[in-house]
């Protein structure tokens, strides 16, 4: 694969004792490491069966833990029919649908926040015609160039936006709607996010196109004159003293693969893959007056220690960009890149589906870029295609290399050439964040950095349910460790097919650690959903393992984890390890590759429990039963909600690959009618919708809806 960026021409209550007892009892049969497995036959009608087998048989094999005492312990797996019955009963609850129809008219708790959170808010002195409340300026950024800042950082220089003026901060409203429920999963308080802020479309996205914009001369602004790639480079150049100009090589690459990417040194090209890598940045030629990052000088003292992250917005040729798509991309570039002075760099990462030789034919490349990408984003676009992946990873099979199974291959190749980024976010373009991008991501990163490694993988594999689990750092932590017993993961597992690159535990057993190992360590992987064990889960992609085998070790025995959705942050080290493994022919499916690589290499991975809401008023016990239904209260394994036939449990959630609340909430928030709520007439009677900060997925083609419109999100079965 060649990746090239084209610079366009200048353009004009806590766990109750009963719950703890149940967890301990469920774990009793797992406490010894010398466990054996026994198979039992279950009928096809059983809730957790696989899709009907091709040979017409009506049974499936399910493993049950068998203890040394010869006493079988059959885990109770409630059926999907039971779930659906409970779900139907909740339709009669007065709090059903409480996440919908909330407006600025019902805000409460306007002044409930921490002193630190209060520092981010200043009065705007402005009024809006649709609210009696004054919006506040929201500035969650560091106090750049303050005495504290300068003690450990180089100088920060503000950057210009597309209108030629310095970028400004968005506005928010204090409070949250009175009827809006607590999240079912995750916690604002745990992450340090202000739960008493409400985001409304005009104050949130107004600077990015929802409201009319003017240039620095007061004239109407034409967005097609913007060049978001050039703006990011200008900004980075102004702040060049804050970032590194020399970057580490990938020391994990397979030297026998014929594909040498370890350093930028000159070497004899051994084949097409080498040519691809050497040409990847051929068009990354910023305008001369700004120079390139690798030519910038300025890291002259130890204070220039800031880490950088790339954000890859996943797109494809043939996509029709809606106005909302454009507004969201503009907001991400502004809030993550321009406002931070280059701490982040945002790319439009476009999968070329056409079978054209764009890697050696410049005109073909230009044509794809000009027809597939809005003009304002062409300067920040990276093209890639699936065919080139086969050249880069010749040991992977045709099935393994398909983009559905190998979403991260292109990310890996990107990171081999763009070594200036310490981290990379793989970002789904059909997700939305109602809150502030920098604020939310910073809180996720901060939380992950603080996490100790002791019990981390066990915490990672459970949906955190505050109303059931109690305090995260005390009750939840201890109950999870008790459930894991002697099976707690401590460092990389001993596998004959993997040479771990992660650090070894400082102590021989986790019981000896006082929650110190890992605290302050940057996470190599941050996910937004649990990293569950797919083995025995009946998740449809659980057996996608290629390679990872030897004469004494079958690949099916590889311990693995998965996460849904693949919107995650990865470290350069993790990506390098993934890349090296794929060069050797080792691979697992897209949802498994990052968590599994982190697991087998002993790298730090963290599920950051962001708030997830439901359209029904499930209590904590119900949520634990239906979503952490695996062994010992895990989300994976036997009984997993991610299993075939059970994923419908997420239909009422705000984050999954199929769900109804995301489009309903977001359409209403944008002023569009959906399922009898929202739209101009509805807002005249009820007020302007607002939402707390939350991620939503999936959202396809956000655009004005016709009268009577109702969102649907159906599973493929």
């Amino acid at each position: 694969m060649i990746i090239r960026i084209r610079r366009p021409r200048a353009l004009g209550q806590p766990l109750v004792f009963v719950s703890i007892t149940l967890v301990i009892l469920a774990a009793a049969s797992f406490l010894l490491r010398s466990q054996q497995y026994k198979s039992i036959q279950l009928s096809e009608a059983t809730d957790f069966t696989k899709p009907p087998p091709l040979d017409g048989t009506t049974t499936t094999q399910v493993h049950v833990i068998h203890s040394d005492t010869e006493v079988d312990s059959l885990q109770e797996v409630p059926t999907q029919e039971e779930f659906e019955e409970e779900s139907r009963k909740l339709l009669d609850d007065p709090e059903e649908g409480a996440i919908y129809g909330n407006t600025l008219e019902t805000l409460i708790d306007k002044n409930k926040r921490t002193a630190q959170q209060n520092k981010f808010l200043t009065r705007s002195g402005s009024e809006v015609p649709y609210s009696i409340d004054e919006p506040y300026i929201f500035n969650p950024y560091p106090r750049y160039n303050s005495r504290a800042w300068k003690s450990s950082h180089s100088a920060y220089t503000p950057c210009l936006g597309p209108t030629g003026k310095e970028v400004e901060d968005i506005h928010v409203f204090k409070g949250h709607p009175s009827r809006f429920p607590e999240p079912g999963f995750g916690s604002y308080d745990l992450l340090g996010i202000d739960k008493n802020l409400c985001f409304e479309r005009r104050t949130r996205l107004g600077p990015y196109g929802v409201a009319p914009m003017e240039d620095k001369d007061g004239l109407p602004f034409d967005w097609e004159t913007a060049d978001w790639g050039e703006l990011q480079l200008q900004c980075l150049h102004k702040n060049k003293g804050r970032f590194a100009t020399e970057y580490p090589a990938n020391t994990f690459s397979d030297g026998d693969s014929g594909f040498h990417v370890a350093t930028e040194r000159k070497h004899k090209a051994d084949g097409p893959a080498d040519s691809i890598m050497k040409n990847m940045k051929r068009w990354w030629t910023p305008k001369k007056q700004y120079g390139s990052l690798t030519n910038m000088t300025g890291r002259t003292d130890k204070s220039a220690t800031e880490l950088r992250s790339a954000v890859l917005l996943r797109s494809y040729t043939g996509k029709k960009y809606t106005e909302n798509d454009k507004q969201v991309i503009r907001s991400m570039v502004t809030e993550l890149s321009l406002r931070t002075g280059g701490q982040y760099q945002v790319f439009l990462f476009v999968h070329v589906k056409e079978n054209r030789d764009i890697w050696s034919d410049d005109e073909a490349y230009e044509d794809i870029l000009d027809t597939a990408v809005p003009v304002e984003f062409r300067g920040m676009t990276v093209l890639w295609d699936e065919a080139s992946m086969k050249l880069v990873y010749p040991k992977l099979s045709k099935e393994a290399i398909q983009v559905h199974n190998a979403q991260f291959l292109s990310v890996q190749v990107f990171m081999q050439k763009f070594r200036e980024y310490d981290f990379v976010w793989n970002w789904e373009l059909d997700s939305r964040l109602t809150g502030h991008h920098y604020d939310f991501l910073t809180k996720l990163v901060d939380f992950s950095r603080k996490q100790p490694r002791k019990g981390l993988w066990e915490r990672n594999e459970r949906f955190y349910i505050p109303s059931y689990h109690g305090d995260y750092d005390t009750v939840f932590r201890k109950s999870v460790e008790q459930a894991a017993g002697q099976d707690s993961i401590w460092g990389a597992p001993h596998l004959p097919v993997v040479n771990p690159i992660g650090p070894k535990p400082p102590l021989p057993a986790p019981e000896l650690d006082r929650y110190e190992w890992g605290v302050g360590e940057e996470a190599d992987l941050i996910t937004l959903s649990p990293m569950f064990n797919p083995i025995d889960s009946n998740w449809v992609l659980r057996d996608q393992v290629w390679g990872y085998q030897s004469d004494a070790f079958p690949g099916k025995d590889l311990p693995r984890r998965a996460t849904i959705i693949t919107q995650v942050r990865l470290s350069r080290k993790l990506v390098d390890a993934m890349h090296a493994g794929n060069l050797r022919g080792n691979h697992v499916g897209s949802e498994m590759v990052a968590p599994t690589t982190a697991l087998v290499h002993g790298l730090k991975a963290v599920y950051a429990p962001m708030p997830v809401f439901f359209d029904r008023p499930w209590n904590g016990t119900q949520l634990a039963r239906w979503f952490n239904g695996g062994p010992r209260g895990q989300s994976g394994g036997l009984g997993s909600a991610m299993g075939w036939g059970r994923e419908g449990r997420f239909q009422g959630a705000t984050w999954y690959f199929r769900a109804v609340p995301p489009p309903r909430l977001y359409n209403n928030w944008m002023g569009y009618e959906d399922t009898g709520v929202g739209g101009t007439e509805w807002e005249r009677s009820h007020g302007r919708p607002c939402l707390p900060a939350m991620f939503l997925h999936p959202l396809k083609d956000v655009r004005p809806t016709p009268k009577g419109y109702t969102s649907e999100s159906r599973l493929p079965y």
Side-chain angles (χ1 to χ4, degrees):
M1 181 184 85
I2 299 175
I3 293 182
R4 299 183 292 188
I5 298 185
R6 201 276 299 270
R7 307 298 318 135
R9 296 174 291 275
L11 296 169
Q13 248 216 102
L15 265 185
V16 294
F17 292 116
V18 172
S19 300
I20 295 178
T21 302
L22 289 174
V23 171
I24 295 173
L25 289 174
S29 61
F30 295 88
L31 293 178
L32 298 176
R33 292 185 183 276
S34 59
Q35 293 160 335
Q36 299 174 330
Y37 291 94
K38 182 176 91 172
S39 296
I40 62 172
Q41 297 290 322
L42 295 170
S43 71
E44 184 182 71
T46 306
D47 159 61
F48 42 85
T49 54
K50 302 175 182 178
L54 296 177
D55 61 4
T57 59
T58 59
T59 60
T60 185
Q61 297 289 321
V62 178
H63 292 113
V64 176
I65 299 297
H66 186 55
S67 72
D68 288 345
T69 60
E70 299 297 324
V71 177
D72 294 341
S73 176
L74 179 60
Q75 175 195 340
E76 177 198 1
V77 180
T79 67
Q80 184 65 13
E81 288 74 16
E82 291 179 82
F83 168 82
E84 291 171 358
E85 177 61 25
E86 280 194 23
S87 182
R88 282 191 293 270
K89 289 180 179 178
L90 290 177
L91 288 174
D92 297 326
D93 192 291
E95 296 304 311
E96 188 274 333
I99 61 174
Y100 301 119
N102 294 283
T103 71
L104 294 171
E105 305 293 317
T106 63
L107 297 180
I108 60 172
D109 294 337
K110 298 177 183 179
N111 294 309
K112 288 184 65 174
R113 59 184 44 83
T114 67
Q116 181 61 35
Q117 291 168 345
N118 205 48
K119 292 179 181 179
F120 297 155
L121 298 168
T122 57
R123 297 191 63 171
S124 66
S126 61
E127 296 180 356
V128 293
Y130 46 82
S131 176
I132 60 173
D133 291 314
E134 172 191 349
Y136 277 68
I137 299 171
F138 185 49
N139 174 9
Y141 297 94
R143 294 300 182 246
Y144 293 121
N145 295 337
S146 64
R147 179 177 298 179
W149 170 268
K150 289 182 177 180
S151 68
S152 58
H153 298 79
S154 293
Y156 163 85
T157 302
C159 296
L160 301 180
T163 64
K165 299 181 288 188
E166 284 188 12
V167 292
E168 299 179 352
D169 294 317
I170 65 168
H171 292 186
V172 296
F173 290 89
K174 288 184 174 183
H176 72 268
S178 59
R179 191 167 176 251
F180 207 85
E182 291 291 320
F185 303 152
S187 167
Y188 288 107
D189 292 339
L190 178 65
L191 298 176
I193 297 172
D194 191 340
K195 64 183 178 182
N196 291 316
L197 291 181
C198 218
F199 296 85
E200 172 273 329
R201 64 177 179 269
R202 188 178 180 94
T203 46
R204 176 67 187 88
L205 293 176
Y208 313 119
V210 166
M213 289 292 291
E214 295 181 348
D215 62 20
K216 60 183 179 181
D217 298 319
L219 300 174
F221 182 68
D222 179 4
W223 287 104
E224 290 197 353
T225 65
D227 181 350
W228 293 100
E230 189 64 31
L231 287 168
Q232 292 186 79
L233 287 171
Q234 291 178 27
C235 186
L236 178 60
H237 179 76
K238 290 181 178 180
N239 290 272
K240 60 188 178 184
R242 296 165 51 200
F243 307 110
T245 58
E246 296 181 0
Y247 325 111
N250 181 358
T251 58
F252 313 124
S253 292
D254 186 351
D256 297 326
S257 68
F259 180 46
H260 308 288
V261 297
T263 69
E264 292 292 330
R265 67 184 183 276
K266 293 182 179 179
H267 64 274
K268 181 179 179 180
D270 295 329
D274 293 273
S275 177
I276 288 171
M277 294 300 294
K278 289 170 71 175
N279 287 312
M280 184 188 299
K281 262 187 173 179
R282 182 161 65 89
W283 280 11
W284 182 240
T285 52
K287 293 182 178 179
K288 186 175 181 180
Q289 61 265 38
Y290 305 120
S292 66
L293 183 60
T294 54
N295 293 328
M296 292 178 185
T297 59
R299 188 167 192 179
T300 57
D301 57 60
K302 63 181 180 181
S303 67
T305 57
E306 294 183 64
L307 304 176
R308 297 192 71 215
S309 297
V311 180
L312 303 185
L313 307 181
R314 305 299 296 249
S315 189
Y316 54 90
T317 54
K319 175 177 172 54
K320 304 299 182 184
Y321 294 83
T322 67
E323 287 304 307
N324 183 256
D325 288 328
K326 297 175 186 178
Q327 293 156 5
V328 169
I329 295 172
R330 294 165 190 158
S331 72
M332 292 186 69
V333 175
T334 302
E335 294 161 16
L336 293 175
S337 180
L338 302 186
R339 188 62 174 81
T340 66
Q343 182 181 347
Y344 290 82
Q345 187 147 340
V346 182
F347 297 87
L348 195 60
F349 202 50
V350 178
H351 175 200
V352 177
K353 294 186 175 182
E354 291 80 359
N355 184 22
R356 298 182 63 182
D357 182 19
I358 61 176
W359 314 123
S360 60
D361 186 340
D362 289 354
E363 290 187 4
Y365 189 98
E366 287 270 6
D367 182 59
I368 291 290
L369 192 62
D370 291 344
T371 57
V373 179
V375 62
E376 62 184 293
F377 305 126
R378 290 173 191 165
M380 54 178 275
T381 296
V382 171
L383 303 182
W384 68 277
D385 73 343
E386 190 174 309
S388 61
M389 294 296 97
K390 186 62 178 176
L391 295 175
V392 176
Y393 300 105
K395 294 184 180 181
L396 292 184
S397 69
K398 183 178 180 180
E399 180 187 12
I401 218 157
Q402 293 174 352
V403 65
H404 179 71
N405 300 327
Q407 183 182 138
F408 286 96
L409 295 186
S410 55
V411 177
Q412 294 162 198
V413 175
F414 174 93
M415 288 293 282
Q416 297 314 301
K417 197 64 179 181
F418 290 78
R419 302 299 292 175
E420 57 263 43
Y421 302 110
D422 302 274
F423 304 98
V424 58
W425 276 95
N426 187 65
W427 198 281
E428 302 283 351
L429 201 54
D430 62 348
S431 73
R432 293 290 187 270
L433 176 61
T434 57
H436 191 283
H437 290 101
Y438 177 84
D439 181 57
F440 210 101
L441 294 195
T442 297
K443 298 303 195 304
L444 296 177
V445 171
D446 289 348
F447 169 84
S448 301
R449 187 187 304 112
K450 295 173 184 176
Q451 290 307 297
R453 282 179 175 249
K454 180 178 178 178
L456 182 56
W457 280 105
E458 289 72 41
R459 297 193 297 278
N460 284 342
E461 60 189 357
R462 290 158 170 81
F463 286 101
Y464 173 54
I465 306 168
S467 61
Y468 179 83
H469 288 127
D471 180 73
Y472 187 90
D473 292 327
T474 55
V475 180
F476 176 57
R477 178 188 285 178
K478 283 297 183 183
S479 66
V480 167
E481 291 168 15
Q482 290 171 359
Q486 298 297 311
D487 292 334
S488 182
I489 295 172
W490 189 239
H494 297 290
L495 302 171
V497 293
V498 177
N499 183 20
I501 65 171
K504 294 182 179 180
L507 297 168
E511 302 84 47
L512 302 175
D513 180 67
R514 297 184 177 182
Y515 300 102
E516 295 175 346
W517 186 37
V519 175
E521 177 189 9
E522 293 287 349
D524 293 292
L525 176 64
I526 300 174
T527 69
L528 304 180
S529 293
M531 287 172 261
F532 68 96
N533 185 355
I535 298 174
D536 289 332
S537 69
N538 218 30
W539 175 53
V540 68
L541 304 178
R542 64 195 178 279
D543 294 325
Q544 285 192 330
V545 181
W546 296 272
Y548 283 112
Q549 59 186 338
S550 65
D551 292 340
F553 186 85
K556 65 181 179 61
D557 287 347
L558 181 76
R560 48 198 184 270
R561 295 293 183 269
T563 190
I564 304 172
I565 310 326
T566 56
Q567 184 158 311
V568 298
R569 193 195 79 162
L570 309 93
S571 72
R572 182 168 49 208
K573 181 189 298 183
L574 174 57
V575 174
D576 285 351
M578 292 159 58
H579 172 67
N582 290 152
L583 288 176
R584 297 182 177 97
N586 297 329
H587 188 57
V588 292
S590 291
E591 290 82 1
M592 291 190 285
V593 64
T596 297
T597 305
L599 174 67
V600 300
H601 279 283
L603 299 175
K604 185 178 181 181
V606 178
Y607 152 50
M610 69 172 189
V612 175
F613 297 88
F614 287 85
D615 60 2
R616 285 165 173 73
W618 299 102
N619 63 43
T621 301
Q622 290 173 310
L623 290 173
R625 185 186 190 209
W626 297 118
F627 294 95
N628 285 335
R632 317 184 204 191
Q634 305 170 24
S635 64
L638 186 66
S640 173
M642 280 69 76
W644 179 269
R646 296 191 291 268
E647 290 178 292
R649 299 175 190 180
F650 292 93
Q651 285 283 81
T654 53
W655 185 258
Y656 202 64
F657 84 92
R658 291 285 188 275
V660 173
R664 277 193 63 179
L665 283 169
Y666 201 79
N667 280 335
N668 294 161
W669 188 71
M670 287 298 298
Y672 310 147
E673 181 181 337
D674 195 327
T675 320
V677 177
T680 303
E681 295 181 8
W682 186 92
E683 289 187 5
R684 288 197 188 103
S685 301
H686 299 86
R688 183 69 65 94
C690 75
L691 291 170
M694 69 174 80
F695 269 117
L696 298 169
H697 182 279
L699 285 154
K700 309 290 186 182
D701 299 322
V702 178
R703 61 181 77 246
T705 59
K707 189 171 182 61
Y709 179 84
T710 297
S711 283
E712 294 182 350
S713 186
R714 298 181 179 179
L715 289 161
Y717 50 80

Coordinates of all heavy atoms in Angstrom, one line a residue, residues 24-55:
I24 N -19.2 -15.1 44.6 CA -18.2 -16.0 45.2 C -18.7 -17.5 44.9 O -17.8 -18.3 44.5 CB -18.1 -15.8 46.7 CG1 -17.5 -14.4 46.9 CG2 -17.3 -16.9 47.3 CD1 -17.5 -14.0 48.4
L25 N -20.0 -17.7 45.0 CA -20.4 -19.1 44.7 C -20.2 -19.5 43.2 O -19.8 -20.6 42.9 CB -21.9 -19.2 45.0 CG -22.3 -19.2 46.5 CD1 -23.8 -19.2 46.7 CD2 -21.7 -20.4 47.2
A26 N -20.5 -18.5 42.3 CA -20.3 -18.7 40.9 C -18.8 -19.0 40.6 O -18.5 -19.7 39.7 CB -20.8 -17.6 40.1
A27 N -17.9 -18.4 41.4 CA -16.5 -18.6 41.2 C -15.9 -19.8 41.8 O -14.8 -20.2 41.5 CB -15.7 -17.4 41.7
A28 N -16.7 -20.5 42.7 CA -16.1 -21.5 43.5 C -15.5 -22.7 42.6 O -14.4 -23.2 42.9 CB -17.2 -22.1 44.4
S29 N -16.1 -23.0 41.5 CA -15.7 -24.1 40.7 C -14.5 -23.7 39.8 O -14.0 -24.5 39.0 CB -16.8 -24.6 39.8 OG -17.3 -23.6 39.0
F30 N -14.1 -22.4 39.8 CA -13.0 -21.9 39.0 C -11.7 -21.7 39.7 O -10.7 -21.3 39.1 CB -13.4 -20.6 38.3 CG -14.6 -20.8 37.4 CD1 -15.8 -20.6 37.8 CD2 -14.4 -21.0 36.0 CE1 -16.9 -20.8 37.0 CE2 -15.4 -21.1 35.2 CZ -16.7 -21.0 35.6
L31 N -11.6 -21.9 41.0 CA -10.5 -21.4 41.8 C -9.2 -22.2 41.6 O -8.2 -21.6 41.8 CB -10.9 -21.5 43.3 CG -12.0 -20.5 43.7 CD1 -12.3 -20.7 45.2 CD2 -11.6 -19.1 43.5
L32 N -9.3 -23.4 41.1 CA -8.1 -24.2 40.9 C -7.6 -24.1 39.4 O -8.4 -24.2 38.5 CB -8.3 -25.6 41.3 CG -8.6 -25.9 42.7 CD1 -8.9 -27.3 43.0 CD2 -7.5 -25.4 43.6
R33 N -6.3 -23.9 39.2 CA -5.8 -23.8 37.8 C -5.9 -25.1 37.1 O -5.7 -25.2 35.9 CB -4.4 -23.3 37.9 CG -4.3 -21.8 38.3 CD -2.9 -21.3 38.2 NE -2.7 -20.0 38.7 CZ -3.0 -18.9 38.0 NH1 -3.4 -19.0 36.7 NH2 -2.8 -17.7 38.5
S34 N -5.9 -26.2 37.8 CA -5.9 -27.6 37.2 C -7.3 -28.0 36.7 O -7.6 -29.2 36.9 CB -5.3 -28.6 38.2 OG -6.1 -28.6 39.4
Q35 N -8.1 -27.1 36.2 CA -9.4 -27.4 35.8 C -9.4 -28.2 34.4 O -8.5 -28.0 33.6 CB -10.2 -26.1 35.6 CG -10.5 -25.4 36.9 CD -10.8 -24.0 36.7 OE1 -10.5 -23.4 35.7 NE2 -11.5 -23.4 37.6
Q36 N -10.4 -29.0 34.3 CA -10.6 -29.8 33.0 C -11.9 -29.4 32.4 O -12.7 -28.7 33.1 CB -10.6 -31.3 33.3 CG -9.3 -31.8 34.0 CD -9.4 -33.2 34.3 OE1 -10.5 -33.7 34.7 NE2 -8.3 -33.9 34.3
Y37 N -12.1 -29.7 31.2 CA -13.3 -29.4 30.5 C -14.1 -30.6 30.1 O -13.5 -31.6 29.7 CB -13.0 -28.5 29.2 CG -12.5 -27.2 29.6 CD1 -11.1 -26.9 29.6 CD2 -13.3 -26.1 29.8 CE1 -10.6 -25.7 30.0 CE2 -12.9 -24.9 30.1 CZ -11.5 -24.7 30.2 OH -11.0 -23.4 30.5
K38 N -15.4 -30.5 30.2 CA -16.3 -31.6 29.7 C -17.4 -31.0 28.8 O -17.9 -30.0 29.1 CB -16.9 -32.2 31.0 CG -17.8 -33.4 30.6 CD -18.3 -34.1 31.9 CE -19.6 -33.5 32.3 NZ -20.2 -34.2 33.4
S39 N -17.7 -31.8 27.8 CA -18.7 -31.3 26.8 C -20.1 -31.9 27.2 O -20.2 -33.0 27.6 CB -18.3 -31.7 25.4 OG -17.2 -31.0 25.0
I40 N -21.1 -31.1 27.0 CA -22.4 -31.6 27.1 C -23.2 -31.2 25.8 O -22.8 -30.3 25.1 CB -23.2 -31.0 28.3 CG1 -23.3 -29.5 28.2 CG2 -22.5 -31.4 29.6 CD1 -24.1 -28.9 29.3
Q41 N -24.3 -31.9 25.6 CA -25.1 -31.7 24.4 C -26.3 -30.8 24.8 O -26.9 -31.0 25.8 CB -25.6 -33.0 23.8 CG -24.5 -33.9 23.3 CD -23.9 -33.4 22.1 OE1 -24.5 -32.8 21.2 NE2 -22.6 -33.6 22.0
L42 N -26.5 -29.8 23.9 CA -27.7 -28.9 24.1 C -28.5 -28.9 22.9 O -28.0 -28.9 21.8 CB -27.2 -27.5 24.5 CG -26.5 -27.4 25.8 CD1 -25.8 -26.0 26.0 CD2 -27.4 -27.7 27.0
S43 N -29.8 -28.7 23.0 CA -30.6 -28.7 21.8 C -30.5 -27.4 21.1 O -30.1 -26.4 21.6 CB -32.1 -28.9 22.2 OG -32.6 -27.7 22.9
E44 N -30.8 -27.4 19.8 CA -30.7 -26.2 19.0 C -31.6 -25.1 19.5 O -31.3 -23.9 19.3 CB -31.1 -26.6 17.5 CG -30.9 -25.4 16.6 CD -31.3 -25.8 15.2 OE1 -32.5 -25.9 14.9 OE2 -30.5 -25.9 14.3
A45 N -32.6 -25.4 20.2 CA -33.5 -24.4 20.7 C -32.9 -23.6 21.8 O -33.4 -22.6 22.2 CB -34.9 -25.0 21.1
T46 N -31.8 -24.1 22.4 CA -31.2 -23.4 23.5 C -30.8 -22.0 23.1 O -30.3 -21.8 22.0 CB -30.0 -24.2 24.0 OG1 -30.4 -25.5 24.3 CG2 -29.4 -23.6 25.3
D47 N -30.9 -21.1 24.0 CA -30.7 -19.7 23.7 C -29.3 -19.4 23.1 O -29.1 -18.6 22.2 CB -30.8 -18.9 25.0 CG -30.1 -17.6 25.0 OD1 -30.5 -16.7 24.1 OD2 -29.3 -17.3 25.8
F48 N -28.3 -20.1 23.6 CA -26.9 -19.8 23.2 C -26.4 -20.7 22.1 O -25.2 -20.9 21.9 CB -25.9 -19.8 24.3 CG -26.1 -20.9 25.3 CD1 -25.5 -22.1 25.1 CD2 -26.9 -20.7 26.4 CE1 -25.7 -23.1 26.0 CE2 -27.0 -21.7 27.4 CZ -26.5 -23.0 27.1
T49 N -27.2 -21.3 21.2 CA -26.8 -22.1 20.1 C -26.2 -21.2 19.1 O -26.4 -20.0 18.9 CB -27.9 -22.9 19.5 OG1 -28.9 -22.0 19.2 CG2 -28.4 -23.9 20.5
K50 N -25.4 -21.9 18.2 CA -24.8 -21.2 17.0 C -25.8 -21.1 16.0 O -26.9 -21.7 16.1 CB -23.6 -22.0 16.5 CG -22.5 -22.3 17.5 CD -21.4 -23.2 16.9 CE -20.4 -23.5 17.9 NZ -19.4 -24.4 17.4
P51 N -25.6 -20.3 14.9 CA -26.5 -20.4 13.7 C -26.6 -21.8 13.3 O -25.7 -22.6 13.4 CB -25.8 -19.5 12.7 CG -24.9 -18.6 13.5 CD -24.4 -19.4 14.7
P52 N -27.7 -22.2 12.7 CA -27.9 -23.6 12.3 C -26.7 -24.1 11.5 O -26.3 -23.5 10.5 CB -29.2 -23.5 11.4 CG -29.9 -22.3 11.9 CD -28.9 -21.4 12.3
P53 N -26.2 -25.3 11.8 CA -25.0 -25.8 11.1 C -25.3 -26.2 9.7 O -26.5 -26.6 9.4 CB -24.6 -27.0 12.0 CG -25.6 -27.2 13.0 CD -26.5 -26.0 13.0
L54 N -24.3 -26.2 8.9 CA -24.5 -26.4 7.5 C -24.9 -27.9 7.2 O -25.6 -28.2 6.2 CB -23.3 -26.1 6.7 CG -22.9 -24.6 6.7 CD1 -21.6 -24.4 5.9 CD2 -24.0 -23.8 6.1
D55 N -24.5 -28.8 8.1 CA -24.8 -30.2 7.8 C -26.1 -30.7 8.3 O -26.5 -31.8 8.3 CB -23.7 -31.1 8.5 CG -23.6 -30.9 10.0 OD1 -24.5 -30.2 10.5 OD2 -22.7 -31.5 10.6

